[in-house]
Amino acid sequence: MFSTIQPSAQKPQTKPASSRIVRRSPWPRLALFAFMIVVALIQLFPLIWLVDYSLLKSGDFFGKNFLVWPDPPQWANYKNAFTYGRVPLFFFNSLLVTVITVAASAVLALMMGYAFTRMKWKLSGFFLGFVMLGMIIPIHATLLPNFILFHKLDMLNNLFTLILPYTAIVIPISMFIMTGFLETIPRAIEESAVMDGAGIFGVIFKIIFPITKPAIATICVLNFISTWNEFIMANTFLTSEDIKTIPFSIMKFAGEYSSNYGAQFAVMTIIALPTILIYLLFTEQMTKGITAGAVKG
Amino acid sequence: MHKVLSDKKAIFLLIAPGLILFVFMICIPIFMSAYYGSTDWSGIGQYQYVGLSNYKEILFEDPVFWNSLWNALLLTAATLVIQHPIAILLAIFLTHCGKYEKIFRTIFFIPAVISIVVTAKLWSGIFHPNYGLLNKFLEGIGLGVLKHDWLGDPNTAIWCIIVVVMWQGFGYALLLYYSGLQGIPKDLGEAARIDGATHTQLYSRIMIPLLAPMMRVAIIIAVTTCLKQMETVFLMTNGGPANSTQFLGNYIYKVAFSSSLYGYGNAISVLFIVFCLILTVVLNKALKKDVGEF
């Protein structure tokens, strides 16, 4: 870019527009950064407030200031959060459900994505469209009939029941990402494998799986975050205290501990942390998944 | 190769597990809803077939149903008029941030990855009449008279919900527009600049019109997510006070589990699905004026 601009900059009389680019003052750039930083702070302010207040005594909540320097930080809030909110148990329950859901949806997306993009069968287009309809259907509309269904099958109040709807609702988006990715892979690799006598499952799990790792990573990150955060179904299908998922830690503060604000804010921080960490670790995969879903949709 | 790829048994084994799960968890429930929607079932015991009377009642005699749709419309309008322009502006700014672009992009998206349980409770805290941040802020700048029980007043509660939903979804909108801008070839901008276009001209005449395909996608996503809004409302106000913040998803839940009107709730579910399908098709058709290739 500069090679084309510099020569003309030496004779500004003829091309004033180009010279302006070269002699640009630093101020617009600084103003831009200042503005972006301010907006970023406003966007993050509720979260900063959350972490700050999670370290305060409940009595300090009613002071006049927005942010209070925790002096000393009330780490006891976190200890209380763990015990009153039953964080370790609920955390484990969430992890169990989420990991199984994420793994199952990745495998299903790979299998179905392969069959839809590579294999030749008559109803391929029909079924692909059928599954994609799932992206339009409001998931909360299935809440009530699923409740009745699980009730009839005596599957309510079972942690593993949750895995079924959780996996089903992420199938459309997972497959969408997977088919989009598979279409970019040349077929020559599989052809040589088939020549060497590999079966279809050998091709998928030994050859296609390693190639689709970026797409699988994207699917896993997206599904991890949505499953970890899911709340309404867990709230509807589970009743026993021992099998609840992590969002319910905060609900434990509804009754007798409802005035323990510090511990409540600590629980919220604990619930929010895993997804933020996963997001920060896999920002690119997440970004790709969201934009891929949008660009092709 | 062809033989392997058209092996019917293999295709069945690959498709069946996912498809069966999908059918069982999504399709069969919809048919069940259609069935129970035409009964007066109350959750337990006997029930009678009542034909389409539930649907008639919902469409013609249920103000809460229409209020729920109105709230969804309000939320959509606010998202499109407030959130999206800001997102486009910031997406443009982001493209000028050089190596810091990724940091800002990451920060703006963080609220979107946090559990709605946390964000809903957090914002309930902000709007709290006693220790809430908003009332403290108003007092701090001398507007103490405006102090308010924000979520308890039917006039302000819906706006609180709108603010929270816009805040949390902002990262999504920004990301969509940002990737839309990234998809515009660089030489277009450079050519315009060499021809002497100012920044304003560059964006108003070239970049923003070229964003149109992405706007189409972002608008469809915004409309459908606003219609499907439930969690934030469920946790912050549960549709109240006096159904002023009711949304369809939450209304179904309330009708079925609080009022034990399972038949009626299922009928709303069916209408909800039909609405979403029609709306998506109509929007896709209406906004289908694609800008040509670059």
PDB file of all heavy atoms in Angstrom, chain A residues 105 109 112 128-137 139 165-179 223, chain B residues 18 22 26:
ATOM      1  N   SER A 105     -22.867 -35.239  20.623  1.00  0.00           N
ATOM      2  CA  SER A 105     -23.270 -34.411  19.492  1.00  0.00           C
ATOM      3  C   SER A 105     -22.147 -34.320  18.457  1.00  0.00           C
ATOM      4  O   SER A 105     -22.422 -34.250  17.255  1.00  0.00           O
ATOM      5  CB  SER A 105     -23.705 -33.025  19.957  1.00  0.00           C
ATOM      6  OG  SER A 105     -22.708 -32.440  20.738  1.00  0.00           O
ATOM      7  N   ALA A 109     -22.771 -35.555  14.762  1.00  0.00           N
ATOM      8  CA  ALA A 109     -22.618 -34.570  13.690  1.00  0.00           C
ATOM      9  C   ALA A 109     -21.653 -35.084  12.623  1.00  0.00           C
ATOM     10  O   ALA A 109     -21.882 -34.914  11.424  1.00  0.00           O
ATOM     11  CB  ALA A 109     -22.109 -33.242  14.259  1.00  0.00           C
ATOM     12  N   MET A 112     -23.534 -38.053  10.702  1.00  0.00           N
ATOM     13  CA  MET A 112     -24.615 -37.564   9.839  1.00  0.00           C
ATOM     14  C   MET A 112     -24.065 -36.622   8.767  1.00  0.00           C
ATOM     15  O   MET A 112     -24.476 -36.690   7.605  1.00  0.00           O
ATOM     16  CB  MET A 112     -25.676 -36.835  10.674  1.00  0.00           C
ATOM     17  CG  MET A 112     -26.433 -37.759  11.594  1.00  0.00           C
ATOM     18  SD  MET A 112     -27.472 -36.841  12.740  1.00  0.00           S
ATOM     19  CE  MET A 112     -28.933 -36.604  11.759  1.00  0.00           C
ATOM     20  N   LEU A 128     -31.894 -33.801   5.251  1.00  0.00           N
ATOM     21  CA  LEU A 128     -31.039 -32.676   5.655  1.00  0.00           C
ATOM     22  C   LEU A 128     -31.903 -31.455   5.956  1.00  0.00           C
ATOM     23  O   LEU A 128     -31.760 -30.818   7.008  1.00  0.00           O
ATOM     24  CB  LEU A 128     -30.027 -32.367   4.545  1.00  0.00           C
ATOM     25  CG  LEU A 128     -29.025 -31.262   4.868  1.00  0.00           C
ATOM     26  CD1 LEU A 128     -28.121 -31.665   6.017  1.00  0.00           C
ATOM     27  CD2 LEU A 128     -28.179 -30.920   3.655  1.00  0.00           C
ATOM     28  N   GLY A 129     -32.832 -31.162   5.052  1.00  0.00           N
ATOM     29  CA  GLY A 129     -33.736 -30.038   5.266  1.00  0.00           C
ATOM     30  C   GLY A 129     -34.582 -30.227   6.510  1.00  0.00           C
ATOM     31  O   GLY A 129     -34.804 -29.290   7.286  1.00  0.00           O
ATOM     32  N   PHE A 130     -34.999 -31.461   6.723  1.00  0.00           N
ATOM     33  CA  PHE A 130     -35.821 -31.810   7.878  1.00  0.00           C
ATOM     34  C   PHE A 130     -35.088 -31.501   9.190  1.00  0.00           C
ATOM     35  O   PHE A 130     -35.636 -30.859  10.087  1.00  0.00           O
ATOM     36  CB  PHE A 130     -36.161 -33.299   7.770  1.00  0.00           C
ATOM     37  CG  PHE A 130     -36.964 -33.847   8.904  1.00  0.00           C
ATOM     38  CD1 PHE A 130     -38.288 -33.494   9.058  1.00  0.00           C
ATOM     39  CD2 PHE A 130     -36.393 -34.732   9.793  1.00  0.00           C
ATOM     40  CE1 PHE A 130     -39.031 -34.010  10.098  1.00  0.00           C
ATOM     41  CE2 PHE A 130     -37.133 -35.251  10.836  1.00  0.00           C
ATOM     42  CZ  PHE A 130     -38.447 -34.892  10.992  1.00  0.00           C
ATOM     43  N   VAL A 131     -33.830 -31.933   9.258  1.00  0.00           N
ATOM     44  CA  VAL A 131     -33.058 -31.679  10.482  1.00  0.00           C
ATOM     45  C   VAL A 131     -32.780 -30.186  10.632  1.00  0.00           C
ATOM     46  O   VAL A 131     -32.830 -29.640  11.732  1.00  0.00           O
ATOM     47  CB  VAL A 131     -31.751 -32.492  10.479  1.00  0.00           C
ATOM     48  CG1 VAL A 131     -30.904 -32.133  11.683  1.00  0.00           C
ATOM     49  CG2 VAL A 131     -32.043 -33.984  10.491  1.00  0.00           C
ATOM     50  N   MET A 132     -32.542 -29.506   9.498  1.00  0.00           N
ATOM     51  CA  MET A 132     -32.247 -28.077   9.578  1.00  0.00           C
ATOM     52  C   MET A 132     -33.444 -27.263  10.078  1.00  0.00           C
ATOM     53  O   MET A 132     -33.269 -26.187  10.632  1.00  0.00           O
ATOM     54  CB  MET A 132     -31.806 -27.547   8.205  1.00  0.00           C
ATOM     55  CG  MET A 132     -30.417 -27.999   7.817  1.00  0.00           C
ATOM     56  SD  MET A 132     -29.229 -27.727   9.141  1.00  0.00           S
ATOM     57  CE  MET A 132     -27.825 -28.575   8.493  1.00  0.00           C
ATOM     58  N   LEU A 133     -34.660 -27.779   9.859  1.00  0.00           N
ATOM     59  CA  LEU A 133     -35.841 -27.106  10.404  1.00  0.00           C
ATOM     60  C   LEU A 133     -35.713 -26.929  11.919  1.00  0.00           C
ATOM     61  O   LEU A 133     -36.274 -26.014  12.498  1.00  0.00           O
ATOM     62  CB  LEU A 133     -37.097 -27.925  10.104  1.00  0.00           C
ATOM     63  CG  LEU A 133     -37.857 -27.645   8.812  1.00  0.00           C
ATOM     64  CD1 LEU A 133     -39.101 -28.496   8.769  1.00  0.00           C
ATOM     65  CD2 LEU A 133     -38.220 -26.178   8.711  1.00  0.00           C
ATOM     66  N   GLY A 134     -34.974 -27.836  12.525  1.00  0.00           N
ATOM     67  CA  GLY A 134     -34.772 -27.784  13.967  1.00  0.00           C
ATOM     68  C   GLY A 134     -34.175 -26.476  14.445  1.00  0.00           C
ATOM     69  O   GLY A 134     -34.317 -26.106  15.599  1.00  0.00           O
ATOM     70  N   MET A 135     -33.480 -25.764  13.520  1.00  0.00           N
ATOM     71  CA  MET A 135     -32.888 -24.489  13.927  1.00  0.00           C
ATOM     72  C   MET A 135     -33.954 -23.411  14.066  1.00  0.00           C
ATOM     73  O   MET A 135     -33.737 -22.403  14.727  1.00  0.00           O
ATOM     74  CB  MET A 135     -31.840 -24.053  12.902  1.00  0.00           C
ATOM     75  CG  MET A 135     -30.636 -24.958  12.910  1.00  0.00           C
ATOM     76  SD  MET A 135     -29.100 -24.109  12.632  1.00  0.00           S
ATOM     77  CE  MET A 135     -28.975 -24.155  10.882  1.00  0.00           C
ATOM     78  N   ILE A 136     -35.085 -23.609  13.398  1.00  0.00           N
ATOM     79  CA  ILE A 136     -36.140 -22.591  13.439  1.00  0.00           C
ATOM     80  C   ILE A 136     -37.096 -22.834  14.609  1.00  0.00           C
ATOM     81  O   ILE A 136     -37.581 -21.903  15.229  1.00  0.00           O
ATOM     82  CB  ILE A 136     -36.948 -22.602  12.115  1.00  0.00           C
ATOM     83  CG1 ILE A 136     -36.001 -22.423  10.930  1.00  0.00           C
ATOM     84  CG2 ILE A 136     -38.008 -21.527  12.126  1.00  0.00           C
ATOM     85  CD1 ILE A 136     -36.666 -22.620   9.592  1.00  0.00           C
ATOM     86  N   ILE A 137     -37.341 -24.113  14.905  1.00  0.00           N
ATOM     87  CA  ILE A 137     -38.337 -24.449  15.922  1.00  0.00           C
ATOM     88  C   ILE A 137     -37.927 -23.913  17.289  1.00  0.00           C
ATOM     89  O   ILE A 137     -36.806 -24.121  17.744  1.00  0.00           O
ATOM     90  CB  ILE A 137     -38.531 -25.982  15.982  1.00  0.00           C
ATOM     91  CG1 ILE A 137     -39.268 -26.436  14.722  1.00  0.00           C
ATOM     92  CG2 ILE A 137     -39.291 -26.396  17.222  1.00  0.00           C
ATOM     93  CD1 ILE A 137     -39.191 -27.912  14.486  1.00  0.00           C
ATOM     94  N   ILE A 139     -37.307 -23.911  20.925  1.00  0.00           N
ATOM     95  CA  ILE A 139     -37.070 -25.068  21.756  1.00  0.00           C
ATOM     96  C   ILE A 139     -37.994 -25.072  22.973  1.00  0.00           C
ATOM     97  O   ILE A 139     -38.348 -26.122  23.502  1.00  0.00           O
ATOM     98  CB  ILE A 139     -35.577 -25.144  22.135  1.00  0.00           C
ATOM     99  CG1 ILE A 139     -35.195 -26.583  22.350  1.00  0.00           C
ATOM    100  CG2 ILE A 139     -35.219 -24.287  23.311  1.00  0.00           C
ATOM    101  CD1 ILE A 139     -35.370 -27.422  21.126  1.00  0.00           C
ATOM    102  N   PRO A 165     -32.650 -34.415  25.277  1.00  0.00           N
ATOM    103  CA  PRO A 165     -33.020 -33.163  24.598  1.00  0.00           C
ATOM    104  C   PRO A 165     -31.816 -32.254  24.353  1.00  0.00           C
ATOM    105  O   PRO A 165     -31.762 -31.581  23.322  1.00  0.00           O
ATOM    106  CB  PRO A 165     -34.019 -32.506  25.565  1.00  0.00           C
ATOM    107  CG  PRO A 165     -33.815 -33.171  26.868  1.00  0.00           C
ATOM    108  CD  PRO A 165     -33.322 -34.546  26.574  1.00  0.00           C
ATOM    109  N   TYR A 166     -30.866 -32.231  25.265  1.00  0.00           N
ATOM    110  CA  TYR A 166     -29.684 -31.373  25.074  1.00  0.00           C
ATOM    111  C   TYR A 166     -28.967 -31.730  23.774  1.00  0.00           C
ATOM    112  O   TYR A 166     -28.578 -30.858  23.004  1.00  0.00           O
ATOM    113  CB  TYR A 166     -28.696 -31.532  26.241  1.00  0.00           C
ATOM    114  CG  TYR A 166     -29.067 -30.776  27.499  1.00  0.00           C
ATOM    115  CD1 TYR A 166     -30.282 -30.117  27.595  1.00  0.00           C
ATOM    116  CD2 TYR A 166     -28.191 -30.720  28.580  1.00  0.00           C
ATOM    117  CE1 TYR A 166     -30.621 -29.431  28.745  1.00  0.00           C
ATOM    118  CE2 TYR A 166     -28.525 -30.036  29.732  1.00  0.00           C
ATOM    119  CZ  TYR A 166     -29.736 -29.392  29.814  1.00  0.00           C
ATOM    120  OH  TYR A 166     -30.053 -28.714  30.955  1.00  0.00           O
ATOM    121  N   THR A 167     -28.784 -33.054  23.556  1.00  0.00           N
ATOM    122  CA  THR A 167     -28.092 -33.473  22.339  1.00  0.00           C
ATOM    123  C   THR A 167     -28.955 -33.176  21.123  1.00  0.00           C
ATOM    124  O   THR A 167     -28.455 -32.669  20.110  1.00  0.00           O
ATOM    125  CB  THR A 167     -27.764 -34.975  22.398  1.00  0.00           C
ATOM    126  OG1 THR A 167     -27.128 -35.237  23.647  1.00  0.00           O
ATOM    127  CG2 THR A 167     -26.834 -35.390  21.278  1.00  0.00           C
ATOM    128  N   ALA A 168     -30.262 -33.472  21.242  1.00  0.00           N
ATOM    129  CA  ALA A 168     -31.142 -33.269  20.088  1.00  0.00           C
ATOM    130  C   ALA A 168     -31.154 -31.816  19.638  1.00  0.00           C
ATOM    131  O   ALA A 168     -31.102 -31.538  18.440  1.00  0.00           O
ATOM    132  CB  ALA A 168     -32.560 -33.734  20.422  1.00  0.00           C
ATOM    133  N   ILE A 169     -31.193 -30.871  20.572  1.00  0.00           N
ATOM    134  CA  ILE A 169     -31.302 -29.474  20.137  1.00  0.00           C
ATOM    135  C   ILE A 169     -30.010 -28.946  19.529  1.00  0.00           C
ATOM    136  O   ILE A 169     -30.051 -27.999  18.760  1.00  0.00           O
ATOM    137  CB  ILE A 169     -31.779 -28.511  21.251  1.00  0.00           C
ATOM    138  CG1 ILE A 169     -30.892 -28.616  22.479  1.00  0.00           C
ATOM    139  CG2 ILE A 169     -33.229 -28.723  21.578  1.00  0.00           C
ATOM    140  CD1 ILE A 169     -31.252 -27.604  23.547  1.00  0.00           C
ATOM    141  N   VAL A 170     -28.865 -29.556  19.832  1.00  0.00           N
ATOM    142  CA  VAL A 170     -27.636 -29.036  19.212  1.00  0.00           C
ATOM    143  C   VAL A 170     -27.297 -29.771  17.917  1.00  0.00           C
ATOM    144  O   VAL A 170     -26.355 -29.378  17.228  1.00  0.00           O
ATOM    145  CB  VAL A 170     -26.433 -29.049  20.180  1.00  0.00           C
ATOM    146  CG1 VAL A 170     -26.693 -28.123  21.355  1.00  0.00           C
ATOM    147  CG2 VAL A 170     -26.087 -30.434  20.649  1.00  0.00           C
ATOM    148  N   ILE A 171     -28.037 -30.826  17.588  1.00  0.00           N
ATOM    149  CA  ILE A 171     -27.740 -31.563  16.350  1.00  0.00           C
ATOM    150  C   ILE A 171     -27.801 -30.653  15.102  1.00  0.00           C
ATOM    151  O   ILE A 171     -26.866 -30.642  14.312  1.00  0.00           O
ATOM    152  CB  ILE A 171     -28.664 -32.795  16.197  1.00  0.00           C
ATOM    153  CG1 ILE A 171     -28.126 -33.934  17.072  1.00  0.00           C
ATOM    154  CG2 ILE A 171     -28.706 -33.284  14.739  1.00  0.00           C
ATOM    155  CD1 ILE A 171     -28.979 -35.193  17.030  1.00  0.00           C
ATOM    156  N   PRO A 172     -28.888 -29.869  14.913  1.00  0.00           N
ATOM    157  CA  PRO A 172     -28.946 -29.068  13.681  1.00  0.00           C
ATOM    158  C   PRO A 172     -27.736 -28.156  13.487  1.00  0.00           C
ATOM    159  O   PRO A 172     -27.081 -28.199  12.444  1.00  0.00           O
ATOM    160  CB  PRO A 172     -30.235 -28.257  13.845  1.00  0.00           C
ATOM    161  CG  PRO A 172     -31.078 -29.067  14.747  1.00  0.00           C
ATOM    162  CD  PRO A 172     -30.127 -29.736  15.692  1.00  0.00           C
ATOM    163  N   ILE A 173     -27.394 -27.351  14.491  1.00  0.00           N
ATOM    164  CA  ILE A 173     -26.280 -26.407  14.313  1.00  0.00           C
ATOM    165  C   ILE A 173     -24.957 -27.152  14.143  1.00  0.00           C
ATOM    166  O   ILE A 173     -24.109 -26.779  13.332  1.00  0.00           O
ATOM    167  CB  ILE A 173     -26.224 -25.368  15.473  1.00  0.00           C
ATOM    168  CG1 ILE A 173     -25.105 -24.352  15.261  1.00  0.00           C
ATOM    169  CG2 ILE A 173     -26.033 -26.018  16.812  1.00  0.00           C
ATOM    170  CD1 ILE A 173     -25.377 -23.346  14.197  1.00  0.00           C
ATOM    171  N   SER A 174     -24.785 -28.263  14.893  1.00  0.00           N
ATOM    172  CA  SER A 174     -23.534 -29.028  14.773  1.00  0.00           C
ATOM    173  C   SER A 174     -23.384 -29.590  13.368  1.00  0.00           C
ATOM    174  O   SER A 174     -22.303 -29.547  12.780  1.00  0.00           O
ATOM    175  CB  SER A 174     -23.514 -30.188  15.769  1.00  0.00           C
ATOM    176  OG  SER A 174     -23.868 -29.749  17.044  1.00  0.00           O
ATOM    177  N   MET A 175     -24.485 -30.131  12.857  1.00  0.00           N
ATOM    178  CA  MET A 175     -24.431 -30.721  11.528  1.00  0.00           C
ATOM    179  C   MET A 175     -24.209 -29.661  10.477  1.00  0.00           C
ATOM    180  O   MET A 175     -23.539 -29.887   9.486  1.00  0.00           O
ATOM    181  CB  MET A 175     -25.730 -31.438  11.253  1.00  0.00           C
ATOM    182  CG  MET A 175     -25.522 -32.886  11.022  1.00  0.00           C
ATOM    183  SD  MET A 175     -27.061 -33.576  10.570  1.00  0.00           S
ATOM    184  CE  MET A 175     -27.560 -32.486   9.299  1.00  0.00           C
ATOM    185  N   PHE A 176     -24.784 -28.509  10.713  1.00  0.00           N
ATOM    186  CA  PHE A 176     -24.635 -27.391   9.790  1.00  0.00           C
ATOM    187  C   PHE A 176     -23.166 -27.023   9.640  1.00  0.00           C
ATOM    188  O   PHE A 176     -22.637 -26.878   8.530  1.00  0.00           O
ATOM    189  CB  PHE A 176     -25.425 -26.212  10.351  1.00  0.00           C
ATOM    190  CG  PHE A 176     -25.514 -25.058   9.422  1.00  0.00           C
ATOM    191  CD1 PHE A 176     -26.299 -25.139   8.292  1.00  0.00           C
ATOM    192  CD2 PHE A 176     -24.823 -23.898   9.674  1.00  0.00           C
ATOM    193  CE1 PHE A 176     -26.399 -24.072   7.422  1.00  0.00           C
ATOM    194  CE2 PHE A 176     -24.912 -22.828   8.815  1.00  0.00           C
ATOM    195  CZ  PHE A 176     -25.705 -22.918   7.685  1.00  0.00           C
ATOM    196  N   ILE A 177     -22.478 -26.901  10.772  1.00  0.00           N
ATOM    197  CA  ILE A 177     -21.058 -26.564  10.742  1.00  0.00           C
ATOM    198  C   ILE A 177     -20.271 -27.697  10.077  1.00  0.00           C
ATOM    199  O   ILE A 177     -19.387 -27.471   9.257  1.00  0.00           O
ATOM    200  CB  ILE A 177     -20.555 -26.293  12.176  1.00  0.00           C
ATOM    201  CG1 ILE A 177     -21.215 -25.027  12.712  1.00  0.00           C
ATOM    202  CG2 ILE A 177     -19.047 -26.174  12.205  1.00  0.00           C
ATOM    203  CD1 ILE A 177     -21.025 -24.812  14.188  1.00  0.00           C
ATOM    204  N   MET A 178     -20.628 -28.942  10.426  1.00  0.00           N
ATOM    205  CA  MET A 178     -19.904 -30.092   9.908  1.00  0.00           C
ATOM    206  C   MET A 178     -20.072 -30.236   8.393  1.00  0.00           C
ATOM    207  O   MET A 178     -19.095 -30.427   7.677  1.00  0.00           O
ATOM    208  CB  MET A 178     -20.386 -31.359  10.621  1.00  0.00           C
ATOM    209  CG  MET A 178     -19.645 -32.613  10.258  1.00  0.00           C
ATOM    210  SD  MET A 178     -17.858 -32.454  10.476  1.00  0.00           S
ATOM    211  CE  MET A 178     -17.687 -32.889  12.178  1.00  0.00           C
ATOM    212  N   THR A 179     -21.300 -30.126   7.893  1.00  0.00           N
ATOM    213  CA  THR A 179     -21.487 -30.276   6.446  1.00  0.00           C
ATOM    214  C   THR A 179     -20.753 -29.158   5.698  1.00  0.00           C
ATOM    215  O   THR A 179     -20.133 -29.409   4.665  1.00  0.00           O
ATOM    216  CB  THR A 179     -22.982 -30.252   6.058  1.00  0.00           C
ATOM    217  OG1 THR A 179     -23.587 -29.118   6.656  1.00  0.00           O
ATOM    218  CG2 THR A 179     -23.713 -31.493   6.499  1.00  0.00           C
ATOM    219  N   ASN A 223     -21.244 -26.075  21.733  1.00  0.00           N
ATOM    220  CA  ASN A 223     -22.175 -26.921  22.478  1.00  0.00           C
ATOM    221  C   ASN A 223     -21.862 -26.945  23.963  1.00  0.00           C
ATOM    222  O   ASN A 223     -22.765 -27.045  24.787  1.00  0.00           O
ATOM    223  CB  ASN A 223     -22.171 -28.349  21.925  1.00  0.00           C
ATOM    224  CG  ASN A 223     -22.757 -28.400  20.535  1.00  0.00           C
ATOM    225  OD1 ASN A 223     -23.366 -27.438  20.090  1.00  0.00           O
ATOM    226  ND2 ASN A 223     -22.566 -29.507  19.849  1.00  0.00           N
TER     227      ASN A 223
ATOM    228  N   GLY B  18     -28.740 -40.230  15.213  1.00  0.00           N
ATOM    229  CA  GLY B  18     -29.032 -38.805  15.346  1.00  0.00           C
ATOM    230  C   GLY B  18     -30.453 -38.486  14.962  1.00  0.00           C
ATOM    231  O   GLY B  18     -31.146 -37.724  15.643  1.00  0.00           O
ATOM    232  N   PHE B  22     -33.429 -36.931  17.221  1.00  0.00           N
ATOM    233  CA  PHE B  22     -34.051 -35.679  16.793  1.00  0.00           C
ATOM    234  C   PHE B  22     -35.565 -35.829  16.704  1.00  0.00           C
ATOM    235  O   PHE B  22     -36.321 -34.989  17.201  1.00  0.00           O
ATOM    236  CB  PHE B  22     -33.463 -35.281  15.434  1.00  0.00           C
ATOM    237  CG  PHE B  22     -33.954 -33.964  14.913  1.00  0.00           C
ATOM    238  CD1 PHE B  22     -33.458 -32.779  15.424  1.00  0.00           C
ATOM    239  CD2 PHE B  22     -34.901 -33.910  13.908  1.00  0.00           C
ATOM    240  CE1 PHE B  22     -33.907 -31.561  14.954  1.00  0.00           C
ATOM    241  CE2 PHE B  22     -35.354 -32.697  13.431  1.00  0.00           C
ATOM    242  CZ  PHE B  22     -34.860 -31.516  13.952  1.00  0.00           C
ATOM    243  N   ILE B  26     -37.772 -33.717  19.297  1.00  0.00           N
ATOM    244  CA  ILE B  26     -38.282 -32.480  18.681  1.00  0.00           C
ATOM    245  C   ILE B  26     -39.595 -32.724  17.933  1.00  0.00           C
ATOM    246  O   ILE B  26     -40.544 -31.967  18.094  1.00  0.00           O
ATOM    247  CB  ILE B  26     -37.234 -31.873  17.717  1.00  0.00           C
ATOM    248  CG1 ILE B  26     -35.862 -31.842  18.373  1.00  0.00           C
ATOM    249  CG2 ILE B  26     -37.704 -30.498  17.219  1.00  0.00           C
ATOM    250  CD1 ILE B  26     -35.391 -30.560  18.947  1.00  0.00           C
TER     251      ILE B  26
END
